[in-house]
Coordinates of all heavy atoms in Angstrom, one line a residue:
M1 N 0.9 -1.2 0.0 CA 0.0 0.0 0.0 C 0.9 1.3 0.0 O 1.6 1.5 0.9 CB -0.9 0.0 1.2 CG -1.8 1.2 1.3 SD -3.0 1.1 2.6 CE -3.9 2.6 2.4
P2 N 0.8 2.0 -1.0 CA 1.6 3.2 -1.1 C 1.2 4.2 -0.2 O 0.0 4.6 0.0 CB 1.4 3.6 -2.6 CG 0.1 3.1 -3.0 CD -0.1 1.9 -2.2
S3 N 2.1 4.9 0.4 CA 1.8 6.0 1.4 C 1.5 7.2 0.6 O 2.1 7.5 -0.4 CB 3.0 6.2 2.3 OG 4.1 6.5 1.6
P4 N 0.5 8.0 1.1 CA 0.2 9.2 0.3 C 1.3 10.2 0.4 O 2.0 10.4 1.4 CB -1.1 9.7 1.1 CG -1.0 9.1 2.4 CD -0.3 7.8 2.2
K5 N 1.5 10.8 -0.8 CA 2.5 11.8 -0.9 C 2.1 13.1 -0.1 O 1.0 13.6 -0.3 CB 2.7 12.2 -2.3 CG 4.0 12.9 -2.6 CD 4.2 13.1 -4.1 CE 5.5 13.8 -4.4 NZ 5.7 14.1 -5.9
P6 N 3.0 13.6 0.8 CA 2.6 14.7 1.6 C 2.6 15.9 0.7 O 3.4 16.2 -0.2 CB 3.8 14.9 2.6 CG 4.9 14.1 1.9 CD 4.3 13.0 1.1
L7 N 1.5 16.7 0.9 CA 1.3 18.0 0.0 C 2.1 19.1 0.7 O 1.9 19.5 1.8 CB -0.2 18.3 0.0 CG -0.5 19.5 -0.9 CD1 0.0 19.3 -2.3 CD2 -2.0 19.8 -0.8
V8 N 3.0 19.6 -0.1 CA 3.8 20.7 0.4 C 3.4 21.9 -0.4 O 3.3 22.0 -1.6 CB 5.3 20.5 0.2 CG1 6.1 21.7 0.6 CG2 5.8 19.3 0.8
V9 N 3.0 23.0 0.4 CA 2.6 24.2 -0.2 C 3.6 25.3 0.2 O 4.5 25.1 1.1 CB 1.2 24.7 0.3 CG1 0.2 23.7 -0.2 CG2 1.1 24.8 1.8
R10 N 3.4 26.5 -0.4 CA 4.4 27.6 -0.1 C 3.8 28.4 1.0 O 2.6 28.8 1.0 CB 4.6 28.4 -1.4 CG 5.8 29.4 -1.2 CD 6.0 30.0 -2.6 NE 6.6 29.1 -3.5 CZ 7.8 28.7 -3.6 NH1 8.7 29.3 -2.8 NH2 8.2 27.8 -4.5
C11 N 4.6 28.6 2.1 CA 4.2 29.4 3.2 C 4.0 30.8 2.8 O 4.9 31.4 2.3 CB 5.2 29.3 4.3 SG 4.9 30.4 5.7
P12 N 2.7 31.3 3.1 CA 2.5 32.7 2.7 C 3.2 33.8 3.4 O 3.3 35.0 3.0 CB 1.0 32.9 2.9 CG 0.6 31.8 3.8 CD 1.6 30.7 3.7
R13 N 3.9 33.3 4.5 CA 4.7 34.3 5.3 C 6.1 34.4 4.9 O 6.6 35.4 4.6 CB 4.6 33.8 6.7 CG 5.3 34.8 7.7 CD 4.6 36.1 7.8 NE 5.2 36.9 8.8 CZ 4.9 38.2 9.0 NH1 3.9 38.7 8.3 NH2 5.4 38.9 10.0
C14 N 6.7 33.2 4.8 CA 8.2 33.2 4.6 C 8.5 32.6 3.2 O 9.7 32.5 2.9 CB 9.0 32.5 5.7 SG 8.7 30.7 5.7
Q15 N 7.5 32.3 2.5 CA 7.7 31.7 1.2 C 8.4 30.3 1.2 O 9.0 29.9 0.2 CB 8.4 32.6 0.2 CG 7.7 34.0 0.1 CD 6.2 34.0 -0.4 OE1 5.9 33.2 -1.4 NE2 5.3 34.5 0.3
G16 N 8.5 29.7 2.4 CA 9.2 28.5 2.5 C 8.2 27.3 2.3 O 7.0 27.5 2.0
E17 N 8.7 26.1 2.5 CA 7.9 24.9 2.2 C 7.1 24.7 3.6 O 7.6 24.7 4.7 CB 8.8 23.7 2.0 CG 9.3 23.8 0.6 CD 10.1 22.5 0.2 OE1 10.3 21.7 1.1 OE2 10.5 22.4 -0.9
A18 N 5.8 24.5 3.4 CA 5.0 24.2 4.5 C 4.1 22.9 4.2 O 3.7 22.8 3.1 CB 4.0 25.4 4.7
L19 N 4.1 22.0 5.1 CA 3.4 20.8 5.0 C 1.9 21.0 5.2 O 1.5 21.3 6.3 CB 4.0 19.8 6.0 CG 3.5 18.4 5.8 CD1 3.9 17.8 4.4 CD2 3.9 17.4 6.9
F20 N 1.2 20.8 4.1 CA -0.2 20.9 4.2 C -0.8 19.6 4.5 O -1.3 18.8 3.7 CB -0.8 21.4 2.8 CG -2.1 22.0 2.9 CD1 -2.3 23.3 3.4 CD2 -3.3 21.2 2.7 CE1 -3.6 23.8 3.4 CE2 -4.6 21.8 2.8 CZ -4.7 23.1 3.1
D21 N -0.8 19.4 5.8 CA -1.2 18.1 6.3 C -1.9 18.3 7.7 O -1.5 19.2 8.4 CB 0.0 17.2 6.4 CG -0.4 15.7 6.8 OD1 -0.7 15.0 5.9 OD2 -0.3 15.5 8.0
P22 N -2.9 17.4 8.0 CA -3.5 17.7 9.4 C -2.4 17.6 10.5 O -2.7 18.2 11.6 CB -4.5 16.4 9.4 CG -4.8 16.1 8.0 CD -3.6 16.5 7.2
S23 N -1.3 17.0 10.3 CA -0.3 17.0 11.3 C 0.3 18.4 11.5 O 0.8 18.7 12.5 CB 0.8 16.0 11.0 OG 1.4 16.4 9.8
N24 N 0.1 19.2 10.5 CA 0.7 20.6 10.6 C -0.5 21.4 11.0 O -1.3 21.9 10.1 CB 1.3 21.0 9.3 CG 1.8 22.4 9.3 OD1 2.0 23.0 10.4 ND2 2.1 23.0 8.2
R25 N -0.6 21.7 12.2 CA -1.7 22.6 12.7 C -1.6 24.1 12.3 O -2.5 24.9 12.4 CB -1.8 22.5 14.2 CG -0.5 23.0 15.0 CD -0.7 23.0 16.5 NE -1.8 23.9 16.9 CZ -2.0 24.2 18.1 NH1 -1.2 23.7 19.1 NH2 -2.9 25.0 18.5
W26 N -0.5 24.4 11.8 CA -0.3 25.8 11.4 C -0.4 26.0 9.9 O -0.1 27.1 9.3 CB 1.1 26.3 11.8 CG 1.4 26.0 13.2 CD1 2.3 25.2 13.7 CD2 0.8 26.6 14.4 NE1 2.3 25.1 15.1 CE2 1.4 26.0 15.5 CE3 -0.3 27.5 14.5 CZ2 0.9 26.4 16.8 CZ3 -0.7 27.8 15.8 CH2 -0.1 27.2 16.9
R27 N -0.8 25.0 9.2 CA -1.0 25.1 7.7 C -2.0 26.2 7.4 O -2.9 26.4 8.1 CB -1.5 23.7 7.2 CG -2.9 23.4 7.6 CD -3.2 21.9 7.2 NE -4.5 21.6 7.5 CZ -5.0 21.1 8.7 NH1 -4.2 21.0 9.6 NH2 -6.3 20.9 8.8
P28 N -1.8 26.9 6.2 CA -0.8 26.6 5.3 C 0.5 27.3 5.6 O 1.4 27.3 4.7 CB -1.4 27.3 4.1 CG -2.2 28.5 4.6 CD -2.8 28.0 5.9
F29 N 0.7 27.7 6.8 CA 2.0 28.3 7.1 C 2.9 27.1 7.6 O 2.4 26.0 7.9 CB 1.8 29.2 8.4 CG 0.9 30.4 8.0 CD1 -0.4 30.3 8.4 CD2 1.5 31.5 7.4 CE1 -1.2 31.5 8.1 CE2 0.6 32.6 7.1 CZ -0.7 32.5 7.4
C30 N 4.2 27.4 7.7 CA 5.2 26.3 7.9 C 5.3 26.1 9.3 O 5.7 25.0 9.8 CB 6.5 26.7 7.3 SG 7.3 28.2 8.1
G31 N 4.9 27.0 10.2 CA 5.1 26.8 11.6 C 4.3 27.9 12.4 O 3.7 28.8 11.9
E32 N 4.4 27.7 13.7 CA 3.8 28.7 14.6 C 4.2 30.1 14.4 O 3.4 31.1 14.5 CB 3.9 28.2 16.0 CG 3.2 29.1 17.0 CD 3.4 28.5 18.5 OE1 4.2 27.7 18.7 OE2 2.8 29.2 19.4
R33 N 5.5 30.3 14.2 CA 6.1 31.6 14.1 C 5.4 32.4 12.9 O 5.0 33.5 13.1 CB 7.5 31.5 14.0 CG 8.2 32.9 13.9 CD 9.7 32.8 13.7 NE 10.3 32.2 14.8 CZ 11.7 31.9 14.9 NH1 12.5 32.4 14.0 NH2 12.2 31.4 16.0
C34 N 5.3 31.7 11.8 CA 4.8 32.3 10.6 C 3.3 32.5 10.8 O 2.7 33.6 10.4 CB 5.0 31.5 9.4 SG 6.8 31.6 8.8
H35 N 2.6 31.6 11.4 CA 1.1 31.7 11.6 C 0.8 32.9 12.5 O 0.0 33.7 12.2 CB 0.6 30.4 12.2 CG -0.9 30.4 12.4 ND1 -1.4 30.8 13.7 CD2 -1.9 30.1 11.6 CE1 -2.7 30.7 13.5 NE2 -3.1 30.3 12.3
T36 N 1.4 32.9 13.7 CA 1.1 33.9 14.7 C 1.6 35.3 14.2 O 1.0 36.4 14.4 CB 1.7 33.7 16.0 OG1 3.1 33.4 16.0 CG2 1.0 32.4 16.6
G37 N 2.7 35.3 13.5 CA 3.3 36.5 13.0 C 2.4 37.1 12.0 O 2.2 38.4 12.0
D38 N 1.9 36.3 11.1 CA 1.0 36.8 10.1 C -0.2 37.4 10.7 O -0.7 38.5 10.3 CB 0.6 35.7 9.1 CG -0.1 36.3 7.9 OD1 0.5 36.8 7.0 OD2 -1.3 36.2 7.9
F39 N -0.8 36.7 11.7 CA -2.0 37.1 12.4 C -1.8 38.5 13.1 O -2.6 39.4 13.0 CB -2.5 36.2 13.4 CG -3.7 36.6 14.1 CD1 -5.0 36.5 13.5 CD2 -3.6 37.0 15.5 CE1 -6.1 37.0 14.2 CE2 -4.7 37.4 16.1 CZ -6.0 37.4 15.5
A40 N -0.6 38.6 13.8 CA -0.3 39.9 14.5 C -0.2 41.0 13.4 O -0.7 42.1 13.8 CB 1.0 39.7 15.2
A41 N 0.4 40.8 12.3 CA 0.5 41.8 11.3 C -0.9 42.2 10.9 O -1.2 43.4 10.7 CB 1.3 41.3 10.2
W42 N -1.8 41.3 10.6 CA -3.1 41.5 10.2 C -3.9 42.3 11.2 O -4.6 43.3 10.9 CB -3.8 40.1 9.9 CG -5.2 40.4 9.5 CD1 -5.7 40.6 8.2 CD2 -6.4 40.3 10.3 NE1 -7.0 40.8 8.2 CE2 -7.5 40.6 9.5 CE3 -6.5 40.0 11.6 CZ2 -8.8 40.6 10.1 CZ3 -7.8 40.1 12.2 CH2 -8.9 40.3 11.3
A43 N -3.8 41.8 12.5 CA -4.5 42.5 13.5 C -4.0 44.0 13.7 O -4.7 44.9 14.0 CB -4.3 41.8 14.8
N44 N -2.7 44.2 13.6 CA -2.1 45.4 13.7 C -2.6 46.4 12.6 O -2.9 47.5 12.8 CB -0.5 45.4 13.7 CG 0.1 46.6 14.1 OD1 -0.4 47.3 14.9 ND2 1.2 47.0 13.5
E45 N -2.7 45.8 11.4 CA -3.3 46.7 10.3 C -4.6 46.9 10.5 O -5.1 47.9 10.1 CB -3.0 45.8 9.0 CG -3.3 46.6 7.8 CD -2.3 47.6 7.4 OE1 -1.1 47.4 7.9 OE2 -2.5 48.5 6.6
E46 N -5.4 46.0 11.1 CA -6.9 46.1 11.3 C -7.2 47.2 12.2 O -8.1 48.1 12.0 CB -7.5 44.8 11.7 CG -9.0 44.8 11.9 CD -9.7 44.8 10.5 OE1 -9.0 44.5 9.5 OE2 -10.8 45.0 10.5
F47 N -6.5 47.3 13.4 CA -6.8 48.2 14.4 C -6.0 49.4 14.5 O -6.0 50.1 15.4 CB -6.8 47.4 15.8 CG -7.6 46.3 15.9 CD1 -7.2 45.0 15.9 CD2 -9.1 46.6 16.0 CE1 -8.1 44.0 16.0 CE2 -9.9 45.5 16.1 CZ -9.4 44.2 16.1
R48 N -5.3 49.6 13.4 CA -4.4 50.8 13.4 C -5.2 52.1 13.2 O -6.1 52.1 12.3 CB -3.3 50.7 12.2 CG -2.3 51.8 12.3 CD -1.2 51.6 11.3 NE -1.7 51.4 10.0 CZ -0.9 51.0 9.0 NH1 0.3 50.9 9.2 NH2 -1.4 51.0 7.8
V49 N -5.0 53.1 14.0 CA -5.8 54.3 13.9 C -4.8 55.4 13.4 O -3.7 55.6 13.8 CB -6.2 54.8 15.4 CG1 -6.9 56.1 15.2 CG2 -7.1 53.7 16.0
P50 N -5.3 56.0 12.3 CA -4.4 57.1 11.7 C -4.1 58.2 12.7 O -5.0 58.7 13.3 CB -5.2 57.6 10.5 CG -6.6 57.2 10.8 CD -6.5 56.0 11.6
A51 N -2.9 58.6 12.8 CA -2.5 59.6 13.7 C -2.9 61.0 13.1 O -2.6 61.4 12.0 CB -1.0 59.6 13.9
T52 N -3.6 61.8 13.9 CA -4.0 63.1 13.5 C -3.3 64.1 14.3 O -3.0 64.0 15.5 CB -5.6 63.3 13.8 OG1 -5.8 63.0 15.2 CG2 -6.3 62.3 13.0
A53 N -3.0 65.3 13.6 CA -2.1 66.3 14.3 C -3.1 67.1 15.1 O -4.1 67.7 14.7 CB -1.5 67.2 13.2
E54 N -2.8 67.1 16.5 CA -3.7 67.8 17.4 C -3.0 69.2 17.6 O -2.3 69.5 18.5 CB -3.7 67.1 18.7 CG -4.3 65.7 18.5 CD -4.3 65.0 19.9 OE1 -4.1 65.6 20.9 OE2 -4.6 63.8 19.9
N55 N -3.5 70.2 16.7 CA -3.0 71.6 16.9 C -4.1 72.6 17.2 O -4.0 73.7 17.1 CB -2.3 72.0 15.6 CG -3.2 71.8 14.4 OD1 -4.3 71.4 14.5 ND2 -2.7 72.1 13.2
S56 N -5.3 72.0 17.6 CA -6.4 72.9 17.9 C -6.2 73.5 19.2 O -7.0 74.5 19.6 CB -7.7 72.0 18.0 OG -7.6 71.0 18.9
D57 N -5.2 73.1 20.0 CA -5.1 73.8 21.3 C -4.1 75.0 21.2 O -4.0 75.7 22.2 CB -4.5 72.8 22.4 CG -5.5 71.8 22.8 OD1 -6.7 72.1 22.5 OD2 -5.2 70.6 23.2
D58 N -3.6 75.2 20.0 CA -2.7 76.3 19.9 C -3.5 77.6 19.7 O -4.3 77.7 18.8 CB -1.8 76.1 18.6 CG -0.5 76.8 18.7 OD1 -0.5 77.8 19.4 OD2 0.5 76.4 18.0
P59 N -3.4 78.6 20.6 CA -4.1 79.8 20.5 C -3.9 80.7 19.2 O -4.8 81.4 18.8 CB -3.7 80.5 21.8 CG -2.4 80.0 22.2 CD -2.4 78.5 21.7
K60 N -2.7 80.6 18.7 CA -2.4 81.4 17.6 C -2.9 80.8 16.3 O -2.8 81.4 15.2 CB -0.9 81.6 17.4 CG 0.0 80.4 17.2 CD 1.4 80.8 17.1 CE 2.3 79.6 16.8 NZ 2.3 78.7 18.0
D61 N -3.4 79.7 16.4 CA -4.2 79.0 15.2 C -5.6 79.4 15.1 O -6.3 79.1 14.1 CB -4.0 77.5 15.2 CG -2.6 77.1 14.6 OD1 -1.9 78.0 14.1 OD2 -2.3 75.9 14.6
V62 N -6.1 80.1 16.2 CA -7.5 80.3 16.2 C -7.7 81.6 15.4 O -7.1 82.7 15.7 CB -8.0 80.6 17.7 CG1 -9.5 81.0 17.7 CG2 -7.8 79.3 18.5
A63 N -8.6 81.5 14.4 CA -8.9 82.7 13.5 C -10.0 83.5 14.1 O -11.1 82.9 14.4 CB -9.2 82.2 12.1
L64 N -9.8 84.8 14.2 CA -10.9 85.6 14.8 C -11.8 86.1 13.7 O -11.3 86.7 12.6 CB -10.3 86.8 15.5 CG -9.4 86.6 16.7 CD1 -8.8 87.8 17.3 CD2 -10.2 85.9 17.8
P65 N -13.1 85.9 13.8 CA -14.0 86.3 12.7 C -14.1 87.8 12.6 O -14.2 88.5 13.7 CB -15.3 85.7 13.1 CG -15.2 85.4 14.6 CD -13.8 85.2 14.8
G66 N -14.1 88.5 11.5 CA -14.2 89.9 11.3 C -12.8 90.6 11.4 O -12.8 91.8 11.3
D67 N -11.8 89.8 11.6 CA -10.4 90.4 11.7 C -9.8 90.5 10.4 O -8.7 91.1 10.3 CB -9.6 89.6 12.7 CG -8.4 90.4 13.2 OD1 -8.6 91.6 13.3 OD2 -7.3 89.7 13.5
S68 N -10.4 90.0 9.3 CA -9.8 90.1 8.0 C -10.2 91.3 7.2 O -10.1 91.3 6.0 CB -10.2 88.8 7.3 OG -11.5 88.7 7.1
E69 N -10.8 92.3 7.8 CA -11.3 93.5 7.1 C -10.0 94.3 6.7 O -9.1 94.5 7.5 CB -12.1 94.3 8.1 CG -13.0 95.3 7.3 CD -14.0 96.0 8.3 OE1 -14.5 95.3 9.1 OE2 -14.3 97.2 8.1
P70 N -10.0 94.8 5.5 CA -8.9 95.6 4.9 C -8.8 96.9 5.7 O -9.8 97.6 5.9 CB -9.2 95.7 3.5 CG -10.7 95.6 3.4 CD -11.1 94.6 4.4
A71 N -7.5 97.3 5.9 CA -7.3 98.5 6.7 C -7.7 99.8 5.8 O -8.0 100.8 6.3 CB -5.8 98.6 7.1
R72 N -7.4 99.6 4.5 CA -7.7 100.8 3.7 C -9.1 100.7 3.1 O -9.3 100.0 2.1 CB -6.6 100.8 2.5 CG -6.8 102.0 1.6 CD -5.6 102.1 0.7 NE -5.3 100.9 0.0 CZ -5.7 100.5 -1.2 NH1 -6.4 101.4 -1.9 NH2 -5.4 99.4 -1.8
S73 N -10.1 101.3 3.7 CA -11.4 101.2 3.4 C -11.9 102.3 2.4 O -12.8 102.2 1.7 CB -12.4 101.1 4.6 OG -12.1 102.3 5.3
R74 N -11.1 103.4 2.4 CA -11.4 104.6 1.6 C -10.4 104.7 0.5 O -9.2 104.9 0.7 CB -11.5 105.9 2.4 CG -12.4 106.9 1.9 CD -12.7 108.0 2.9 NE -11.5 108.5 3.7 CZ -11.5 109.5 4.6 NH1 -12.7 110.0 4.9 NH2 -10.5 109.8 5.2
P75 N -10.9 104.6 -0.8 CA -9.9 104.8 -1.9 C -9.5 106.2 -2.0 O -10.2 107.2 -1.7 CB -10.8 104.3 -3.1 CG -12.2 104.6 -2.7 CD -12.3 104.4 -1.2
L76 N -8.2 106.3 -2.5 CA -7.6 107.7 -2.6 C -8.2 108.3 -4.0 O -8.1 107.6 -5.0 CB -6.1 107.6 -2.7 CG -5.5 107.0 -1.3 CD1 -3.9 106.8 -1.6 CD2 -5.7 108.0 -0.2
S77 N -8.6 109.5 -3.9 CA -9.1 110.1 -5.0 C -8.4 111.5 -5.3 O -8.5 112.4 -4.4 CB -10.6 110.4 -5.0 OG -10.9 111.1 -3.8
H78 N -7.7 111.6 -6.4 CA -6.9 112.9 -6.7 C -7.5 113.6 -7.7 O -7.5 113.1 -8.9 CB -5.4 112.5 -7.0 CG -4.7 112.4 -5.7 ND1 -4.4 113.5 -4.8 CD2 -4.1 111.4 -5.1 CE1 -3.6 113.1 -3.9 NE2 -3.4 111.8 -3.9
Ligands
ZN101 ZN1 6.9 30.2 7.0

């Protein structure tokens, strides 16, 4: 009785050989390191919050309404 040929796939993490077999609980990854490492990267990407510049507390950034009126309101007539 011929023994079934083990199916070897490419590990999506390290591009190495991974045994795609019930004995390999980390399939299709080659091992625990690649499996958990990939998950951590995915989770980190999933829950990453874009950093926003918090400059609203700067008083000199506050624009006063009505302060943009031109100083020269009367045109010169000669
Ligand atoms: Zn791997």
Side-chain angles (χ1 to χ4, degrees):
M1 184 175 177
S3 58
K5 195 176 180 180
L7 179 60
V8 177
V9 296
R10 194 169 290 276
C11 174
R13 182 70 174 176
C14 69
Q15 306 300 315
E17 288 186 351
L19 184 63
F20 198 84
D21 187 84
S23 63
N24 179 18
R25 59 177 298 194
W26 310 113
R27 65 188 187 279
F29 301 94
C30 66
E32 182 180 4
R33 183 182 295 182
C34 285
H35 179 268
T36 54
D38 188 82
F39 177 76
W42 175 85
N44 191 34
E45 187 77 18
E46 182 76 13
F47 297 109
R48 186 171 57 185
V49 180
T52 55
E54 299 179 9
N55 55 2
S56 57
D57 289 341
D58 204 333
K60 64 179 181 290
D61 274 355
V62 178
L64 299 176
D67 199 29
S68 59
E69 197 171 323
R72 181 166 54 94
S73 56
R74 206 165 44 181
L76 297 174
S77 54
H78 274 292

